[in-house]
Structure formats: structure tokens, C-alpha cells
Amino acid sequence: MPLAVGHDRRRRSRAGAFAALAGAFAIVLGLGITGWYVIGNQASCGGDEIVLEVAVAPELVGAINALAEDFDEEEHEVDGRCVTTEVRGEDPDNVTYGITNTGPTTGDTESDVWIPDSSLWVNLVQREASEAAINDTGTPVAHSPLILAQPGGAAEDNETEPIENLVPTDAPAAESGRDVRVIDPLRSASGLATLAMISSTIDDQAEDQPELTAALQALQRGAMPNEETAFDTLGAGDDPPPLMVLSEQAAWRYNTEHGGSAHVSYPKGGSHTLDYPYLIRGEDPVVSRAAEEFRAWVTSSESRAVVRKNGFRSPDGAADTDVLTPEAGFQEEAPENLPTPSDDTIAELTQSWNRMKLDTRLLTILDVSGSMAQPVPGTDMNRMEVTTKASGEGLTLFPETSKLGQWEFSTDLDGDTDHRELTPIRELGETVDGQTHREVMTENLESLEPSNGDTGLYNTILAAYREMSRTYEADRVNAILMLTDGQDDTDDGISKNELLSALEEESSKDKPIPVITIAFGPSIDPEPLEEIADATGGGAYTTEDPTEIGDIFLKAFSLRLQGQGEDAGQD
């Protein structure tokens, strides 16, 4: 029995050992299989991840984030490495100026993928930094046409005039046209596209620059620094309400996220469309392939529905009418898309905007010599009255922040000095003794009378040039505007050649001071005035028709679009 018992124990022990061995083998086998699965999975999509940094126009972040989360869950791989995404909102202008070094930037502007709101920024990058590694895939992620937005009830029709017809292109610009507001074109594709639409209707010949000048002045008066300001303005309850140039998506977002009730209308003849291009930055081929994987994902038919849910149209122009509702004025069919302007056009428009944006410091000099009492043929005014009318209308073209001053001139007005100061150069909005500077200047114009003196033209121009040089302000456009009958006839003054020599010797490219003259009268010799204009980068204009006054002022100040200190054509 003991033997039997011992044998049985050995059998049970052996069986237990085999069972334990089998169990251990199963565990090891299971671990091996599991380990093979994990290791195998890591081998196919493991190791170092490829982290794709995606910079997106802020309004598109919600849609791209949602698509990126699904993309990451799918575990896409390139060269056996998983691709994951990091999406962040980045203002397109910030990235553009970071690449080109042509403007101020904040934060990190680097990324592997860039989706700005418009190809306009791509044009600027390609022009200003052609060496930058940017691959335009030619694939738009979303579309959003520009529209005109007003508070609900202000816009009765779903269609209006072309945007360019709503912005005044004549003078005085302050008294004509609708109040059209844009976001600063240097910071906004919608603002930049608005300039392009207006510019496309104006020939780029020199004689048409005054129309562009008037349009830029009209837009700059109400230009808003950013979208937040635009939204605040839209809800301010102004009467009459301004027309805001926004994208469809911005108007939808204002209504849904800001509790607004904006109503949209579509310009006749089509509009520019923000196209949200998909751009790949850098030259790493692995990262580029990862970026192509993400591009295919965000532009798929399934992804388009997500884009439309966020207030955009898909690139085929389709809209979700439950999002862009007819009640708010949105139309189901996309408006005709106007072509994207060239990079040269965009660069010229941004330069023009910058020049016009730079505020003015202007010394206006008015001729009060005896000859200014002579009548202007075909009118019931004398030269003095025509001159003060011209100056008064010109005054309306300047914003409150412009600095202006007034002199009058003849001969021996102040002892043996041919000129006399009427008002010092101050901001038009500055108040002195209960009156704004603009009001004081207007009163001076209304009270001017011709004197009995001669015309000390050359003495006065040189004195004015030296005064403006001495007090030059680099953050403004410094200029001299003289209104005169154009003939220097004093016996005690310097000669024309002496004046030109002094101007040549004392002028500086670092301190350009264009001299602009507007002359009235049938016997004007324009040549001396034109020579003075050539010497200073200014302009010389003559007329006998008071109705041309507004156009002349716009021509004079269109010099700013041609650049300070550059040669400018004269009439």
C-alpha cells in the first residue's frame, strides 16, 4: 500500500508537474503571442511619432480640430511611424509677416502645415520671400465668399450694388457713397480683397490715381483693426448702420457665437472668395508625406460635411442651409467667384494703403497778393475766393489726427517778411480756446482778403521748406501745399534758380518734403512751378475751373500712392 500510495503520489506529482508545465507553457505562449502582437503593432506604427504641426486660420480651428482627432485615432503611418497632429489657430497675417519679415509678428509662426484664409497671403509670401519652402498643393479646404453684413432689418434685399460702387471714388469723399467698413487690409484678407475689387475697376494709369486715393481715404476713415472691433461695430446700433465687408463664415459666427442678428447681402457681379489653401512648409520628405496624408483626410467628402457644419462652404461651393440659413440672408448657391489678384497687384495695394495710412503733416500757404482780386473768367468769383474754396474743400479730406497749419503770403506782410503765420501746425481735432483747430482754419479761410502787395512766391517757398525741415516728423507725411496765381513778381526776392539751388542743397532723401502747388488764373506760367515740383518730388496743378477743385486735391494727394520723394507727374 505504501508503495502504491507512493506511486500514486508520484503519478499525481508527475501529472501536476505536466499540468504546471502546460500551464506555464500556455502562459509563456500567451505572453509570447501578446508580446508578438504588441511588438508587431509597434513595428508597423511605432517608434518615434511624426508630430505634424498645423497652423490654421483661427475661425477654421474648430473644424480642423475635429477632423484631426479622427485622423489621429485612425493611426495613419508613414515609414512605419504613426502620424499625429497638433492644431493651433494662427492669424494668417502673423504667419505671412513671420515668413517674409515685412511686418510685426507675435509668437511662433513656424509649422509643417499652414491653412490661411486666403491665397492672397500666399501671393505675398511668394513675392517677398520666394526662397521660402512653401508647397501650395492647390487644394482648398473650405470656401467663404465675402458678403455685406448689416444688423437685422437694415438690409431688405438679398442683393446689392457691387462693393466697388458703394465706395466713393470722387471728392469730397466724406460726403458721398455709403459707409462701407473693412478690417485693416494689412491684417485681413477680406479687407485686402475689398481693395483689390475696387482697384480692378480703376485703371492703373497715373490720371486715375485720384479715384483710388478717394476710395482709400473713404475706407481708412472707418477701417477696423481686427474682427472683434468689426463685431462690436456691427452691434453698436449706429444710424444709419454701416455696411460691413465680412466673409459668410464671419457673419454666421457673429450670429451664433456672439448673439448677433446680422443680415447678409451679396454684391452684384460676384465677390472674392476666401479659399483656405492647404500649404506644406519645409523640405523634410517624411514630414511632407505625413502632411499629404492629412491633406487627403481633411479634403475628403466625409470631411466636407464637418467643414459645412462650421459655417463654411465646401470647395465645390455647397452650403449647409441649416447652418447658413435663408432667414439671415444667406443664399444656397455660391456667388460668382472673382479671380484672385496677382501678387504684383496685392503688393502695390498694400504699399498704397500703408502710404495713405501714414498721417499727414501739411503746411498750407495761401496767396493774398493784389492779383488774387482779379476775377476768374466764367465764374462769379475772384482768384482769392476760388483759392479759399479749394482750401476749404481740401480740408474735408483730412481726418482729425492730421496735422495742418496755415500761412498767408504776399510781400512785406510781417515787416520785410513776405509770409505770416495764421495758425501753427496742430492736429485738426485739437481744441484751443473752445474751438477745434479745424474750425479755426475754416474761419481763417472765410476771412481772407487780397492785399495790395506783390507775390513773394520764391521767398515764401524757401522759408516754408526750411521750417518744415526744421520741425520734420518722421512718422508722418510732411508736405507743403501752396495755393496761388503762380507768378513771382517781387523785386526783393530770390530768383527761381537761387530757390532751386537751395532746395537741391538742403533736401534729404531721409526727410522728403514735396511742394505741391495749385494755381489759378488765365496767364499762369506753369514751368517754374513744375520745376519746383520736380526738385521736391511734389506736383504742380493749374485750373481756371472751380469745379475741378476736388479732383485737383485728389490728384495732389495721390502723390502719396506713388511714394514719398519719388518723381511724380504734373498736370
Side-chain angles (χ1 to χ4, degrees):
M1 288 296 278
L3 288 176
V5 171
H7 180 67
D8 187 53
R9 285 178 177 174
R10 284 195 299 273
R11 290 178 62 187
R12 288 201 304 270
S13 176
R14 206 163 30 241
F18 278 121
L21 183 61
F25 182 74
I27 292 171
V28 171
L29 183 62
L31 288 173
I33 293 172
T34 304
W36 174 85
Y37 174 78
V38 172
I39 293 169
N41 185 58
Q42 288 178 343
S44 65
C45 188
D48 294 333
E49 290 181 331
I50 302 172
V51 179
L52 202 62
E53 293 187 11
V54 184
V56 183
E59 66 271 20
L60 190 60
V61 167
I64 298 300
N65 253 332
L67 296 173
E69 289 176 4
D70 293 340
F71 176 84
D72 291 349
E73 288 180 2
E74 289 287 325
E75 295 185 337
H76 293 257
E77 61 179 86
V78 170
D79 289 355
R81 298 165 61 190
C82 277
V83 181
T84 60
T85 56
E86 289 184 358
V87 179
R88 75 177 192 273
E90 201 69 67
D91 290 327
D93 60 288
N94 194 47
V95 177
T96 299
Y97 299 141
I99 297 172
T100 62
N101 293 317
T102 57
T105 60
T106 58
D108 183 12
T109 60
E110 296 295 325
S111 64
D112 302 311
V113 172
W114 180 32
I115 310 177
D117 57 0
S118 174
S119 294
L120 296 176
W121 301 114
V122 184
N123 289 348
L124 283 176
V125 168
Q126 291 173 339
R127 176 186 172 88
E128 302 295 338
S130 56
E131 74 281 358
I134 291 186
N135 174 26
D136 186 351
T137 65
T139 309
V141 175
H143 274 184
S144 192
L146 298 187
I147 51 83
L148 292 162
Q150 287 183 292
E156 297 180 357
D157 298 325
N158 202 40
E159 191 174 45
T160 185
E161 291 294 316
I163 290 177
E164 55 269 24
N165 287 2
L166 298 170
V167 178
T169 57
D170 55 2
E175 299 176 6
S176 60
R178 296 290 300 276
D179 183 12
V180 177
R181 304 283 186 91
V182 297
I183 302 173
D184 187 344
L186 302 182
R187 292 294 182 184
S188 163
S190 65
L192 192 53
T194 303
L195 294 190
M197 286 189 283
I198 294 170
S199 176
S200 67
T201 67
I202 300 173
D203 293 337
D204 59 2
Q205 302 301 315
E207 61 266 23
D208 292 315
Q209 287 290 303
E211 296 184 13
L212 183 58
T213 301
L216 292 179
Q217 285 180 326
L219 290 174
Q220 283 194 350
R221 272 192 294 272
M224 296 157 293
N226 50 47
E227 189 178 80
E228 289 75 16
T229 305
F231 285 171
D232 290 342
T233 303
L234 192 57
D238 293 342
D239 186 22
L243 285 167
M244 310 286 295
V245 182
L246 300 172
S247 69
E248 278 185 334
Q249 202 273 344
W252 168 81
R253 188 157 27 89
Y254 171 74
N255 286 344
T256 57
E257 298 178 6
H258 296 264
S261 58
H263 190 279
V264 308
S265 56
Y266 292 79
K268 288 181 180 178
S271 183
H272 179 81
T273 296
L274 304 185
D275 58 347
Y276 295 88
Y278 189 97
L279 309 168
I280 299 175
R281 298 179 61 183
E283 298 176 333
D284 187 326
V286 175
V287 174
S288 294
R289 290 202 300 274
E292 283 292 348
E293 284 280 330
F294 190 56
R295 180 192 65 81
W297 182 266
V298 299
T299 58
S300 66
S301 57
E302 294 82 2
S303 296
R304 290 182 176 185
V306 176
V307 167
R308 290 192 291 266
K309 286 293 184 186
N310 281 267
F312 298 93
R313 293 178 185 266
S314 47
D316 60 1
D320 187 335
T321 55
D322 291 332
V323 177
L324 300 180
T325 61
E327 291 78 12
F330 294 107
Q331 62 186 35
E332 183 174 1
E333 183 179 353
E336 179 185 351
N337 184 30
L338 299 179
T340 300
S342 69
D343 54 350
D344 286 342
T345 298
I346 292 302
E348 290 168 3
L349 287 172
T350 55
Q351 290 167 4
S352 295
W353 182 266
N354 260 331
R355 286 170 181 150
M356 289 302 299
K357 193 174 182 180
L358 193 62
D359 220 336
T360 300
R361 182 174 180 270
L362 179 71
L363 176 58
T364 302
I365 308 173
L366 300 114
D367 190 342
V368 294
S369 62
S371 59
M372 294 297 287
Q374 295 182 19
V376 176
T379 75
D380 58 356
M381 295 185 288
N382 61 29
R383 295 180 186 177
M384 185 80 263
E385 291 168 333
V386 169
T387 299
T388 55
K389 177 178 173 60
S391 190
E393 290 195 0
L395 197 58
T396 67
L397 300 178
F398 296 93
E400 296 295 278
T401 54
S402 295
K403 288 187 174 182
L404 272 71
Q406 287 173 322
W407 284 8
E408 60 179 349
F409 83 100
S410 177
T411 51
D412 301 330
L413 286 182
D414 186 8
D416 58 358
T417 301
D418 291 344
H419 68 271
R420 179 165 51 210
E421 181 182 85
L422 297 176
T423 63
I425 298 177
R426 292 191 178 116
E427 286 195 5
L428 288 175
E430 183 178 342
T431 300
V432 178
D433 296 330
Q435 282 186 303
T436 67
H437 191 52
R438 187 190 298 273
E439 291 170 340
V440 172
M441 292 186 70
T442 301
E443 287 185 359
N444 286 339
L445 294 175
E446 294 172 350
S447 63
L448 282 179
E449 295 287 344
S451 69
N452 295 320
D454 294 328
T455 308
L457 183 71
Y458 302 149
N459 283 348
T460 302
I461 288 177
L462 183 57
Y465 195 90
R466 287 172 172 169
E467 176 63 18
M468 291 294 283
S469 296
R470 184 184 67 80
T471 59
Y472 191 88
E473 295 185 16
D475 61 341
R476 291 177 179 263
V477 175
N478 296 256
I480 298 167
L481 173 65
M482 175 169 279
L483 296 100
T484 179
D485 62 7
Q487 305 297 119
D488 184 285
D489 57 6
T490 178
D491 296 329
D492 300 329
I494 61 174
S495 69
K496 180 191 70 174
N497 290 337
E498 287 173 327
L499 170 63
L500 294 175
S501 295
L503 291 175
E504 181 179 1
E505 181 180 344
E506 297 178 24
S507 64
S508 168
K509 290 184 178 180
D510 295 331
K511 294 182 177 182
I513 305 172
V515 176
I516 303 163
T517 56
I518 300 177
F520 306 91
S523 58
I524 295 170
D525 179 6
E527 185 176 350
L529 301 179
E530 290 173 358
E531 291 183 69
I532 294 167
D534 286 339
T536 61
Y541 305 91
T542 62
T543 186
E544 298 177 28
D545 184 359
T547 64
E548 295 179 352
I549 290 169
D551 289 340
I552 291 174
F553 262 89
L554 288 178
K555 285 181 180 180
F557 288 96
S558 70
L559 292 173
R560 294 171 67 173
L561 303 190
Q562 301 171 28
Q564 297 181 57
E566 298 174 5
D567 291 338
Q570 286 83 46
D571 283 1

